[in-house]
């Protein structure tokens, strides 16, 4: 089947007013969006680069003072601590508030996809505010059961959820983001940073001054608004951001409602800085999920088995501080608390059916195995003989996490050479209460499951469904150190590592089947170096290791003989091994001043090999059920290249990423693939590509200032074909590639007001970002007279053409 491509482009008319406010930032390169500090520029490597005291006018007057852009080297909340971006032995991926504003979105995932070469987003939930973010073949997803491979931090606070390491991108207050970086080759970011870490720094009243109100509306009932305000009063600062979004969605039952608040109060002196930041969010989503292609051929907004809703709530407080103890010693740290609550409702087909011997009773999975009620007694069958049975699965997750980080940084010379040494420790503890239930019902011709009030108790042989009540405790401790030594003015080496210790305790609140006590520990080393070939050209190389402990969700659903409905019905608790990733990367980066502007570029290669990788495996016996399993070695390797050209009137970027992700070991796994054998299994052979990871990604963007009030531009995104999830044996035809073209425009009316508009997917291309397989005989094709489905493919349709317009006021 030939690949089809979709092209996305954006035409922009946008004016960014001058001034020092954060919303006016339009960085020309990765490094310029990073926090800047002032240092005394040494003339030789034998002179120390002591950090001047904040506000020191004498040092600011020194001729050798220069601005250094700082790249994060650990998940510290303090802006300005880190490493000179020129010394980082890894790829540099960073963007700021200006690039986020350019997307016109209150979803950080859109900016991540646009600005970072190796990142794409896919819509596995059927809701654009709950995306999977995939970097180099590693995923940070809100979907429970997805093997997570990225750590995510907000102001030094880990926001991977305690129960499944999931990442709810909808909870991040996008308007309040100052900068975001995607950090690689650095184990200091702790557990789950197999592919790297997304490090988000938020605004405060010291770096954002002024006020902004931004409102936009358009297609599919979208209305969104944000307001932010920041002010410095002597040594104090205050900042607040409020966001709201309502969207009816482009598919049936896919409406969204987002409400978020973020606030920060700060205090600083010449040698110290403290912040208290807080946030709350209450979001509701209709998640339409994958739909059979036969239904999409009749209506692009079709859905399959609803309701499917998610309710997310979060509240957090984070106290951070930094003290410059001496001119060369800095101590910083944080203490935090975060509460998260999630409720899901998910309509599904059911394995419940009338018993063969007595149709007046209900059986589960087999027509002679009783389907029991909550009291353990076999259920009577109250449904009509022609009813199509389904079930409504409900889950509740309540987590409270607390944590603390303490770090010391020293810039004293070592053997007469400049040196930066960092040592730190972190501790995070989470307590989660998880519950699940299953209500039987009937499925109508619109694929809506209507509940009956009858709930399933423990059923199946072996038991594979029933009410769940679980208490899970996570305790993660880490100690890390990193040193960067200037061998010469041009050559620097970095080395260090982190020791991780994880303890996970599972306590079954109904019986004992889920009880477990698991401990995982590992030391992950790192080494790397940079060499400045010329003032505008730097080479880098590095090696690092990272590990991921199995999550409570994975540990409680790991028995092939007792599969569970992923993210709902946890059944058994055999051991899983932790995942260990070993990564090597190298590349070149540089800048050059041209007559038409500043040229920045980078090119690099990477290889990450995972040992004991964990995947969610479908059960060959129970449709919709599965289990987690170590699948041996996998490898993700590729190249990344990007170029930026920036001048007063022109901003241009282009990037390319190749990600080749493959299994390295032979393995037989359960699958819903139409090529599965009679037992429901497929055979993985070494070299098979990992599904759902496109191999090629190309991105292009341009902005041009026609006048002081107008800016025009365009964006293009190309993503190559990918194998369907479940096709680990690579036998089925691939999901076609796509490209997309968008337009956006704005006009600056005066110093205060700006109007703007966007057209997304201007060619109205119909494509899918994710595909999988489904059991065709579970539910009839009601759109075809109740006949059976004939195509096992199920995909996530992307958003059709959409129009938006808005007004922004800046004060």
């Amino acid at each position: 089947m030939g690949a089809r491509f979709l092209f996305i482009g954006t035409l922009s008319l946008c004016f960014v007013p001058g001034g020092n406010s954060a919303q006016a930032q339009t960085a020309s390169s990765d490094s310029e969006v990073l926090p800047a500090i002032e240092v005394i520029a040494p003339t030789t490597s034998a002179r120390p680069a002591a950090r001047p005291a904040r506000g020191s006018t004498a040092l600011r007057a020194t001729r050798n003072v220069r601005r250094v852009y700082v790249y994060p080297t650990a998940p510290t909340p303090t802006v300005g601590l880190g490493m000179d971006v020129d010394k980082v032995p890894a790829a540099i991926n960073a963007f700021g508030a200006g690039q986020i504003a350019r997307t016109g979105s209150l979803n950080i995932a859109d900016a991540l996809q646009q600005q970072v070469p190796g990142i794409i987003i896919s819509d596995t939930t059927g809701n654009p505010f709950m995306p999977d973010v995939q970097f180099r073949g590693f995923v940070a997803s809100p979907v429970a059961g997805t093997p997570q491979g990225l750590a995510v931090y907000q102001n030094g606070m880990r926001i991977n959820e305690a129960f499944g390491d999931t990442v709810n991108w909808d909870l991040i207050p996008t308007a309040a983001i100052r900068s975001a970086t995607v950090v690689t080759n650095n184990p200091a970011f702790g557990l789950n940073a197999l592919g790297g870490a997304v490090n988000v720094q938020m605004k405060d009243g010291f770096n954002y001054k002024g006020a902004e109100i931004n409102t936009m509306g358009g297609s599919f009932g979208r209305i969104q608004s944000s307001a932010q305000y920041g002010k410095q009063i002597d040594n104090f600062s205050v900042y607040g951001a409020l966001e709201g979004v309502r969207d009816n969605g482009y598919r049936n039952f896919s409406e969204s409602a987002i409400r978020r608040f973020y606030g920060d109060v700060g205090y600083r002196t010449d040698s110290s800085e403290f912040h208290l930041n807080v946030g709350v969010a209450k979001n509701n989503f209709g998640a339409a999920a994958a739909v059979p292609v036969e239904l999409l051929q009749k209506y692009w907004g079709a859905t399959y088995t609803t309701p499917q809703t998610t309710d997310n709530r979060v509240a957090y407080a984070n106290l951070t501080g930094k003290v410059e103890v001496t001119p060369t010693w800095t101590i910083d740290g944080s203490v935090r608390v975060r509460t998260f609550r999630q409720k899901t409702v998910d309509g599904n087909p059911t394995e419940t059916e009338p018993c063969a011997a007595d149709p007046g009773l209900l059986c589960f999975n087999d027509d002679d195995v009783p389907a029991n009620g909550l009291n353990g007694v076999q259920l009577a069958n109250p449904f009509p003989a022609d009813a199509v049975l389904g079930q409504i699965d409900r889950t509740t997750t309540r987590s409270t996490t607390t944590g603390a980080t303490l770090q010391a940084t020293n810039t004293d010379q070592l053997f007469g050479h400049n040196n930066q040494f960092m040592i730190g420790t972190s501790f995070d503890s989470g307590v989660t209460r998880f519950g699940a239930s299953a209500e039987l019902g009937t499925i109508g011709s619109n694929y809506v499951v209507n509940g009956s009030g009858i709930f399933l108790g423990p059923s199946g042989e072996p038991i594979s469904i029933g009410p769940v009540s679980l208490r899970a405790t996570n305790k993660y401790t880490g100690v890390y150190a990193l040193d960067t030594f200037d061998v010469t003015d041009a050559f620097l080496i970095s080395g260090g590592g982190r020791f991780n210790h994880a303890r996970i305790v599972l306590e079954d609140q109904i019986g004992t089947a889920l009880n477990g006590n698991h401990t995982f520990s590992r030391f992950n080393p790192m080494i790397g170096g940079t060499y400045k070939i010329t003032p505008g050209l730097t080479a880098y190389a590095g090696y690092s290791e990272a590990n991921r402990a199995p999550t409570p969700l994975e540990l409680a659903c790991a028995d092939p003989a007792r599969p569970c409905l992923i993210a709902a019905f946890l059944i058994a608790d055999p051991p899983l091994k932790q995942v260990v990733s070993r990564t090597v990367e190298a590349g070149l980066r540089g800048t050059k001043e041209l007559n038409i502007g500043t040229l920045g570029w980078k090119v690099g290669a990477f290889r990450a090999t995972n040992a004991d990788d964990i995947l969610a495996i479908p059960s060959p016996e129970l449709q919709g059920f599965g289990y987690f399993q170590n699948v041996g070695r996998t490898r993700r390797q590729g190249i990344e290249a990007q170029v930026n050209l920036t001048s007063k009137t022109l901003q241009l970027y282009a990037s390319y990423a190749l990600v080749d992700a493959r299994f390295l070991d032979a393995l037989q796994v359960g699958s819903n693939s139409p090529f599965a054998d009679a037992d429901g299994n497929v055979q993985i052979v070494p070299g098979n590509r990992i599904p759902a990871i496109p191999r090629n990604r190309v991105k292009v963007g341009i902005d041009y200032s026609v006048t002081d009030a107008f800016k025009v531009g365009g964006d293009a995104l190309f993503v190559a074909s990918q194998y369907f999830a479940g096709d680990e044996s690579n036998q089925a035809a691939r999901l076609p590639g796509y490209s997309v073209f968008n337009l956006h425009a704005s006009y600056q009316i005066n110093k205060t007001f700006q109007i703007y508009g966007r057209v997304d997917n201007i060619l109205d291309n119909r494509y899918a970002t994710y595909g999988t397989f489904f059991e065709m005989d579970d539910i009839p094709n009601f759109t075809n007279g109740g006949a059976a489905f004939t195509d096992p493919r199920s995909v996530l349709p992307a958003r059709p053409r959409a129009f938006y317009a808005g007004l922004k006021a800046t004060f």
Side-chain angles (χ1 to χ4, degrees):
M1 183 176 182
R4 298 200 309 263
F5 307 109
L6 240 179
F7 181 68
I8 294 187
T10 299
L11 173 65
S12 249
L13 295 166
C14 178
F15 173 75
V16 182
N20 296 323
S21 61
Q23 70 270 25
Q25 297 172 357
T26 54
S28 61
S29 67
D30 283 343
S31 59
E32 288 186 357
V33 305
L34 296 168
I37 61 171
E38 292 181 346
V39 300
I40 299 177
T43 57
T44 69
S45 61
R47 295 180 57 189
R51 185 187 295 111
R54 191 185 301 275
S56 173
T57 57
L59 286 177
R60 292 177 187 273
T62 304
R63 291 184 180 180
N64 285 335
V65 169
R66 66 186 177 97
R67 292 177 67 81
V68 170
Y69 294 100
V70 178
Y71 203 69
T73 52
T76 172
T78 306
V79 172
L81 281 183
M83 184 185 298
D84 182 344
V85 70
D86 238 6
K87 300 181 179 182
V88 177
I92 302 295
N93 297 294
F95 59 90
Q99 284 94 335
I100 295 174
R102 185 180 186 276
T103 66
S105 171
L106 289 179
N107 185 351
I108 185 180
D110 293 325
L112 283 165
Q113 175 170 259
Q114 191 174 94
Q115 298 298 325
V116 180
I119 282 183
I120 60 167
I121 59 178
S122 60
D123 185 10
T124 58
T125 64
N127 191 293
F129 297 101
M130 302 174 64
D132 281 11
V133 172
Q134 185 188 112
F135 174 64
R136 295 182 175 180
F138 295 92
V139 178
S141 170
V143 179
T146 301
Q148 309 287 338
L150 298 174
V152 183
Y153 291 87
Q154 177 185 317
N155 264 17
M157 177 173 58
R158 179 182 171 90
I159 59 174
N160 293 79
E161 304 299 348
F163 190 57
D165 273 341
T166 54
V167 179
N168 292 289
W169 299 99
D170 63 285
L171 300 178
I172 300 177
T174 306
I177 296 174
R178 182 189 184 190
S179 67
T181 52
V182 180
V183 182
T184 63
N185 195 42
N186 192 336
F189 282 83
L191 291 170
N192 229 61
L194 302 179
V198 179
N199 191 53
V200 179
Q201 294 284 355
M202 311 302 288
K203 297 173 184 175
D204 58 53
F206 294 127
N207 56 52
Y208 182 98
K209 301 177 180 67
E212 177 189 279
I213 301 174
N214 191 346
T215 300
M216 184 188 81
S219 298
F220 311 114
R222 168 76 66 88
I223 180 71
Q224 68 180 45
S225 187
S226 66
Q228 56 181 324
Y229 172 81
K231 185 177 180 62
Q232 179 178 350
I233 307 171
D234 297 326
N235 290 353
F236 293 89
S237 72
V238 61
Y239 173 83
L242 189 65
E243 299 170 307
V245 181
R246 183 168 290 278
D247 190 302
N248 292 335
Y250 57 94
R251 296 175 62 194
N252 296 336
F253 313 110
S254 62
E255 58 279 348
S256 304
I258 294 176
R259 293 144 294 218
R260 297 188 295 230
F261 169 78
Y262 177 83
D264 181 280
V265 177
Y267 171 80
R268 73 181 181 188
T269 66
D270 287 347
S271 60
S272 63
E273 185 168 343
F274 300 91
H275 289 269
L276 173 64
N277 46 78
V278 298
V280 294
K282 183 180 184 296
N283 304 335
N284 308 94
F285 304 104
V291 62
V293 295
E294 291 178 71
L295 298 182
L296 287 180
Q297 290 167 356
K298 296 182 180 295
Y299 174 50
W300 195 248
T303 55
Y304 184 69
T305 62
T306 57
Q308 293 187 22
T309 63
T310 300
D311 178 273
N312 288 338
R313 299 188 184 188
V314 73
Y316 53 86
N318 188 20
L319 177 64
T320 71
K322 179 187 74 170
V323 177
E324 295 177 359
V325 181
T326 72
T328 58
W329 275 102
T330 300
I331 307 293
D332 73 297
S334 67
V335 292
R336 55 217 175 242
V337 60
R338 185 175 185 270
T339 63
F340 169 70
R341 193 206 74 177
Q342 182 180 75
K343 291 184 177 181
T344 69
V345 179
D346 187 6
N348 287 302
T350 183
E351 294 297 321
T352 305
E353 59 185 331
C355 298
D358 184 356
L361 297 175
L362 292 176
C363 287
F364 186 82
N365 192 35
D366 291 317
D367 57 15
D368 59 352
V369 176
N372 299 320
L374 296 177
N375 58 1
V377 177
Q378 185 172 7
L379 292 169
N381 181 8
F383 304 107
D386 60 348
V388 178
L389 300 188
Q391 69 186 48
I392 300 176
D393 302 311
R394 296 178 175 87
T395 70
T396 301
T397 306
R398 300 176 183 270
S399 297
T400 300
T401 57
T402 56
T405 300
L406 183 66
Q407 177 180 300
T409 304
N410 177 259
T411 55
D412 280 321
Q413 285 187 324
L414 183 63
F415 307 119
H417 293 257
N418 290 333
N419 187 75
Q420 178 173 299
F421 174 71
M422 175 189 72
I423 186 169
T425 183
S426 66
F427 176 77
D428 290 279
S429 176
V431 177
T432 301
R433 294 185 179 275
F434 176 84
S437 65
E439 179 187 5
L440 294 176
T442 57
I443 301 177
S445 60
N446 59 354
Y447 295 100
V448 174
V449 183
N450 300 293
S452 65
I454 300 172
F455 287 82
L456 280 171
S459 302
E461 289 184 359
I463 292 173
S464 53
I465 198 168
V468 175
S469 181
L470 175 70
R471 185 180 189 271
T473 303
N474 316 50
K475 292 185 178 180
Y476 300 148
T477 304
V479 179
Y480 57 90
L482 179 67
D483 190 85
T484 300
F485 179 71
D486 294 16
V487 180
T488 68
D489 288 341
F491 178 49
L492 304 98
I493 58 173
S494 298
R498 176 177 174 127
F499 176 78
N500 291 322
H501 183 271
R503 185 185 178 200
I504 302 169
V505 178
L506 306 178
E507 300 172 271
D508 195 330
Q509 304 297 291
I510 295 177
T512 60
L514 295 177
N515 288 347
N517 192 326
H518 307 266
T519 301
F520 304 91
S521 61
R522 194 174 195 279
F523 176 76
N524 296 313
M526 170 268 176
I527 189 169
T530 62
Y531 182 74
K532 186 172 283 294
I533 302 171
T534 69
L537 175 62
T538 299
Y540 68 87
Y543 170 83
S544 65
E545 298 180 6
N547 73 304
R548 176 172 87 83
T551 67
L553 171 61
E554 292 166 337
L555 290 168
C557 181
D559 190 346
R562 306 179 71 193
C564 52
L565 190 62
I566 301 295
F569 300 104
L570 310 182
I571 301 299
D573 183 25
L576 287 172
K577 299 177 182 178
Q578 63 182 339
V579 184
V580 176
S581 181
R582 296 172 174 86
T583 302
V584 60
E585 62 177 293
L588 297 167
R589 55 177 175 256
T591 59
K592 187 175 180 61
E593 292 296 331
L594 305 175
N595 292 333
I596 58 174
T598 301
L599 176 69
W601 61 274
K602 60 186 178 185
V603 60
F606 66 91
R607 171 179 283 189
T609 302
N610 284 7
D612 297 315
D613 214 349
I614 296 175
L615 291 183
I617 307 297
S619 168
E621 301 294 334
L622 293 173
Q623 172 66 23
F625 286 68
Y627 56 93
F628 295 95
Q629 178 178 329
N630 292 112
V631 295
R633 295 175 303 142
T634 61
R635 183 181 63 207
R636 296 157 178 84
Q637 62 183 357
I639 60 175
E640 297 166 337
Q642 186 174 36
V643 61
N644 298 276
L645 180 64
T646 304
S647 69
K648 184 177 181 180
T649 59
L650 176 69
Q651 291 84 41
L652 171 69
Y653 73 86
S655 69
Y656 168 74
L658 181 148
V659 179
D660 183 71
R662 297 183 183 271
F663 295 99
L664 298 183
D665 294 327
L667 186 71
Q668 187 179 74
V669 298
S671 175
N672 296 323
S673 166
F675 294 91
D677 61 23
D679 295 323
N681 296 314
V682 295
Q683 180 65 46
I684 297 173
V685 299
N688 280 157
R689 283 175 54 183
I690 301 175
I693 301 179
R695 200 163 187 262
N696 298 288
R697 310 107 190 265
V698 177
K699 305 169 187 179
V700 180
I702 184 172
D703 286 287
Y704 179 70
S705 298
V706 179
T707 70
D708 286 345
F710 284 91
K711 183 186 265 187
V712 297
D715 295 28
L717 168 67
F718 160 81
V719 178
S721 61
Q722 57 188 286
Y723 284 100
F724 280 71
D727 186 22
E728 286 80 7
S729 59
N730 295 177
Q731 294 175 275
R734 288 181 250 177
L735 182 71
Y738 60 91
S739 48
V740 189
F741 186 76
N742 307 309
L743 300 176
H744 59 270
S746 73
Y747 176 73
Q748 195 73 26
I749 300 172
N750 53 36
K751 184 179 179 180
T752 300
F753 293 102
Q754 177 192 97
I755 57 173
Y756 61 91
R758 289 171 45 205
V759 183
D760 290 344
N761 191 8
I762 189 171
L763 300 180
D764 199 25
N765 288 315
R766 303 301 169 98
Y767 64 100
T769 61
Y770 178 85
T772 186
F773 302 111
F774 77 108
E775 189 68 32
M776 294 182 291
D777 58 4
D778 272 348
I779 302 174
N781 184 348
F782 293 116
T783 66
N784 191 27
F789 285 98
T790 59
D791 192 327
R793 296 175 301 162
S794 182
V795 301
L796 269 300
R799 182 174 53 185
R801 180 168 50 223
F803 299 85
Y804 304 100
L807 173 67
K808 180 168 69 175
T810 306
F811 306 95

